[in-house]
Amino acid sequence: MTRFDSLQAWLDWQEKLHPRPIDLGLGRAAGVYRQLNPDQKQPLTITVAGTNGKGSCVAFLEAIYRAAGYRVGAYTSPHILRYNERIRIDGQPVDDALICEAFSRIDAVRGDTSLSYFEFGTLAALSIFATANLDIQLLEVGLGGRLDAVNIVDADAALVTTIGLDHLDWLGHTEEAIGREKAGIFRAGVAAIVGDWQPPISIAEVAEQVGAVLLQMGKAFTYRKHPQVWDWRAGDLQVGQLPPPAFKGEHQYRNASAAIMAVKTLQHLLAVSDDSIRQGIQSAQLPGRFQLIPGEPRILLDVGHNPQAVQTLIDYLREYFPAIKINAVFAMMRDKDIAGVLNMMRDRVTTWYLAPLVNPRAASPDMLETIFQQQGLDNVRSGFADFSEAFHAARQNSGPDELLLIFGSFFLVSEYLSKFS
């Protein structure tokens, strides 16, 4: 007998089930997975980790393999509007009933094992994908790598994007420590693709320790841009005349290049034509990352929430909006480097509008105001009842030729898309 009859009821229960919302470790999830899938059947797998760029790489891979005619499962987090976005088959979120059935199966075999919200979701995705007749599954690591629930699966190719300072309390306070955790998805004899020009030394050290086949940007593969197209190369392999990536920003050429390297690594298992690669690079979709909404003013949505991601936002603004007044609706989670982000953006934002978020992890407007004061920033408006009130104030005070930027958190972008899109 199933415990609940609606997806929301399951999710509400999961949020209260485990004593810690983030509880890294493979033991609980791996034990339940063995019960859930005793034969350990799984599709071909690419696991993606990194500080920023994971979602982009998964989106490129998903689009490339779908363009090649393969049946693709993708597990990502967090979601923007609906939980179902986390578990996709052939580009479409699976329905409530399928997720509820998976939750019920997990609940039936877990015994007295307590699982976190993320562990339940990961196990549900793996359970659904195992019986969906997929050609390949793409798994995005939620936090870290080595001890993330996704890492209970041995990937056929592992991809690490970039390494930056984030989630310091769980992963360590240096890029070397964080890189070591991210590289925990590497396996012996398996391609370990690194989409960073200068990754921490610890990544190569882990690859050597486990016997993974290290393929690093700038060494094993690279790219070259031309006025209208770009080329990708890895030794004697080349894909030329590639269209610009679907997502804006120089960093997306790196993400797309890493995705192509992963595809080429598995070419002997899933053949993909260069035309499918070109089509996928151009057609990939990723809401909330440099998402531009036309109008007066134009609205730019960005989920960037750490200094590395915000630097890519600054680079994007410099390229596409070099001399334009920008107002920002802003919120961040309280465990992020809020002061660092403000200092990076202080010269680009004319007026800040602080939006309250209904989330226990969110920094309160009072906390944000204090940090703004500490950074010597007084161009701030607050006291809004909710996101909608902050957004309306910002839009009303933005001219038709100006840019209204909404950034700092997935939850903030979700608020806009759920209420105004």
Side-chain angles (χ1 to χ4, degrees):
M1 182 176 177
T2 188
R3 186 183 294 269
F4 301 107
D5 58 5
S6 75
L7 177 55
Q8 193 57 54
W10 273 108
L11 297 176
D12 290 344
W13 173 72
Q14 289 170 22
E15 287 182 336
K16 302 178 183 70
L17 174 65
H18 198 66
R20 298 168 62 187
I22 297 175
D23 193 2
L24 296 178
L26 304 184
R28 294 181 309 278
V32 175
Y33 185 57
R34 284 191 294 269
Q35 296 294 318
L36 196 64
N37 185 12
D39 297 329
Q40 297 289 292
K41 293 180 180 177
Q42 66 183 48
L44 195 70
T45 302
I46 300 176
T47 299
V48 181
T51 303
N52 295 298
K54 298 188 297 291
S56 298
C57 284
V58 170
F60 286 130
L61 288 166
E62 186 178 22
I64 289 168
Y65 279 115
R66 291 191 64 215
Y70 292 115
R71 184 166 167 81
V72 184
Y75 174 57
T76 59
S77 65
H79 58 277
I80 297 287
L81 294 176
R82 297 172 61 230
Y83 184 89
N84 311 57
E85 297 165 19
R86 295 173 178 236
I87 307 173
R88 299 189 300 276
I89 295 177
D90 280 346
Q92 297 300 313
V94 301
D95 61 30
D96 287 13
L98 203 58
I99 300 175
C100 289
E101 289 169 7
F103 284 159
S104 187
R105 289 195 298 274
I106 295 163
D107 195 29
V109 303
R110 70 181 180 88
D112 59 0
T113 301
S114 177
L115 297 170
S116 70
Y117 180 92
F118 183 78
E119 288 169 334
F120 249 103
T122 302
L123 289 167
L126 295 176
S127 178
I128 290 168
F129 291 164
T131 59
N133 194 30
L134 299 180
D135 294 299
I136 189 167
Q137 64 181 5
L138 311 171
L139 306 179
E140 179 188 336
V141 168
L143 198 161
R146 181 176 64 93
L147 297 177
D148 186 90
V150 163
N151 203 32
I152 63 177
V153 172
D154 292 328
D156 298 283
L159 194 165
V160 172
T161 57
T162 58
I163 304 298
L165 297 178
D166 200 5
H167 301 297
L168 306 185
D169 291 342
W170 291 281
L171 304 181
H173 289 76
T174 66
E175 289 189 356
E176 291 296 336
I178 293 171
R180 191 169 297 279
E181 291 297 317
K182 304 287 187 184
I185 65 172
F186 295 167
R187 296 293 192 273
V190 172
I193 299 138
V194 180
D196 196 335
W197 290 106
Q198 293 182 309
I201 296 171
S202 58
I203 289 185
E205 290 175 345
V206 172
E208 184 175 2
Q209 288 164 7
V210 304
V213 182
L214 184 64
L215 300 170
Q216 183 183 317
M217 169 78 77
K219 294 182 178 179
F221 65 99
T222 190
Y223 68 90
R224 176 175 293 179
K225 292 170 63 178
H226 305 290
Q228 303 297 327
V229 296
W230 61 289
D231 302 328
W232 176 93
R233 182 184 293 276
D236 294 333
L237 294 176
Q238 181 174 351
V239 184
Q241 298 294 303
L242 284 157
F247 318 128
K248 300 296 185 184
E250 179 67 29
H251 61 294
Q252 295 298 358
Y253 287 89
R254 299 193 297 270
N255 291 332
S257 294
I260 294 171
M261 187 72 258
V263 169
K264 289 297 185 180
T265 296
L266 298 179
Q267 183 77 357
H268 63 295
L269 298 172
L270 279 187
V272 176
S273 70
D274 289 354
D275 281 343
S276 294
I277 291 174
R278 294 185 187 99
Q279 184 179 337
I281 294 299
Q282 194 172 32
S283 65
Q285 297 181 355
L286 186 68
R289 197 71 174 107
F290 300 160
Q291 184 176 348
L292 190 62
I293 313 295
E296 296 183 346
R298 286 169 290 178
I299 297 169
L300 182 67
L301 309 178
D302 190 62
V303 298
H305 53 267
N306 56 54
Q308 188 184 56
V310 171
Q311 184 58 55
T312 65
L313 171 61
I314 291 169
D315 294 342
Y316 172 84
L317 293 172
R318 185 181 296 119
E319 182 174 0
Y320 294 98
F321 300 96
I324 190 171
K325 181 179 175 182
I326 300 172
N327 294 316
V329 180
F330 178 74
M332 284 187 77
M333 297 299 103
R334 63 173 180 268
D335 61 342
K336 302 300 180 183
D337 184 4
I338 300 171
V341 167
L342 296 185
N343 273 321
M344 294 173 71
M345 291 291 291
R346 64 189 306 141
D347 295 331
R348 294 311 319 267
V349 175
T350 301
T351 307
W352 300 80
Y353 296 79
L354 306 186
L357 291 178
V358 184
N359 185 297
R361 290 179 51 218
S364 68
D366 287 345
M367 177 182 175
L368 289 176
E369 279 194 84
T370 298
I371 297 173
F372 271 87
Q373 290 171 1
Q374 292 170 345
Q375 302 307 309
L377 292 168
D378 56 8
N379 52 337
V380 183
R381 297 188 182 183
S382 62
F384 304 107
D386 53 23
F387 167 82
S388 295
E389 193 171 295
F391 170 70
H392 283 304
R395 185 168 60 179
Q396 186 175 355
N397 289 285
S398 297
D401 296 327
E402 297 171 1
L403 181 70
L404 179 51
L405 172 64
I406 300 174
F407 88 106
S409 169
F410 274 89
F411 300 101
L412 191 68
V413 170
S414 176
E415 284 276 346
Y416 172 83
L417 290 174
S418 64
K419 291 180 170 64
F420 298 102
S421 65

